Amino acid sequence: MQDESVVEKVEKSIDGINYFIDTYNRLQTSIGYIGEYLSDQKEFQHTLSLKIEPKPDKYFLFEFIDQPAGDKVTKETTLTVNDQTPVVVKTKTVTDEFSVSVQFAKRFYDFVFRAGLFRSEGGLALDYYFLKDKLKLSVEAFDFGREGNPHLRALASLYLLKYLKLAGGSDDLINDEYGKPADFFLGAGIEFTDDDIKTIMGSIPIPGF
């Protein structure tokens, strides 16, 4: 330890470790789930989310969505009745679709701007918080390259108690194409931070301890 160069390297290594530990301690992680009932589809949409928040004014959002309004499938059937002219009947069905969202968000006062992938398509979003962050209004626009209008989604989210969230709004507002109609929806979900998960796990009794 008499060698000054060795001491300097050790001090730098310790500073780096301390910086990493401090950054990790300030990192906030949240895991959530929300189920939304789509009025037109008459089915539920399920979303599992992971939010990583390195600073209070920015975060990364990852979502995994199982949505009922997916790809359209057209089937043609030819019907002939009593040797008359054949009639072609077309039926359209919609398959379930699994998609992913990966977004970066930056907060400015009560506004949050988000950009990235929305249901596997590029897009932008704006959130507005008020009532001490208990109520959030959001507008999302994505899938600008599809035929017709882009996908526009508007919703309000109300945060109750500590873990519960209620949401409602309208999905695909400006597109009336068959298979992807504008849907009013209502949903409820839960969200836990890493501190909540540690508290819950610590309260579970373990046999033998």
Side-chain angles (χ1 to χ4, degrees):
M1 295 298 292
Q2 298 298 321
D3 190 334
E4 293 183 359
S5 63
V6 174
V7 173
E8 183 179 355
K9 290 180 181 179
V10 171
E11 289 177 344
K12 287 183 178 179
S13 298
I14 294 174
D15 289 341
I17 293 172
N18 288 335
Y19 176 79
F20 174 79
I21 294 175
D22 182 61
T23 302
Y24 174 78
N25 289 334
R26 289 187 287 108
L27 190 69
Q28 182 73 51
T29 304
S30 302
I31 299 175
Y33 162 81
I34 186 168
E36 299 166 335
Y37 182 76
L38 306 177
S39 62
D40 190 84
Q41 301 291 331
K42 294 181 174 56
E43 292 188 54
F44 280 93
Q45 177 172 273
H46 307 279
T47 302
L48 183 65
S49 63
L50 171 66
K51 183 168 72 172
I52 301 175
E53 190 175 354
K55 293 184 178 180
D57 64 338
K58 64 179 63 174
Y59 64 84
F60 299 91
L61 179 64
F62 303 87
E63 293 181 328
F64 307 91
I65 308 107
D66 180 19
Q67 56 192 90
D71 296 331
K72 293 182 300 181
V73 178
T74 302
K75 181 180 179 181
E76 294 186 1
T77 303
T78 303
L79 299 178
T80 303
V81 181
N82 297 328
D83 296 329
Q84 296 181 0
T85 303
V87 178
V88 177
V89 179
K90 294 183 179 181
T91 50
K92 295 183 179 181
T93 58
V94 182
T95 61
D96 286 355
E97 182 179 56
F98 180 80
S99 57
V100 177
S101 296
V102 180
Q103 303 163 23
F104 171 74
K106 174 67 176 177
R107 181 161 185 164
F108 299 92
Y109 301 101
D110 293 331
F111 293 93
V112 174
F113 296 91
R114 290 182 283 130
L117 289 179
F118 292 74
R119 302 185 188 182
S120 303
E121 301 290 344
L124 300 168
L126 175 64
D127 304 322
Y128 176 66
Y129 288 86
F130 55 102
L131 296 180
K132 297 182 178 180
D133 287 0
K134 296 296 184 182
L135 185 61
K136 179 180 71 171
L137 301 180
S138 305
V139 177
E140 301 176 345
F142 54 97
D143 200 1
F144 294 95
R146 76 175 183 179
E147 185 177 351
N149 297 316
H151 196 131
L152 186 64
R153 190 169 187 257
L155 68 151
S157 302
L158 177 63
Y159 296 86
L160 300 175
L161 304 175
K162 187 176 181 180
Y163 309 110
L164 181 63
K165 179 176 72 172
L166 302 178
S170 184
D171 191 29
D172 217 352
L173 283 167
I174 55 177
N175 194 340
D176 58 357
E177 181 184 1
Y178 182 88
K180 288 184 178 286
D183 253 340
F184 291 102
F185 63 87
L186 288 174
I190 54 176
E191 184 174 311
F192 297 96
T193 65
D194 48 0
D195 291 333
D196 297 327
I197 297 173
K198 291 175 184 176
T199 301
I200 294 173
M201 295 299 295
S203 64
I204 298 176
I206 301 177
F209 290 88

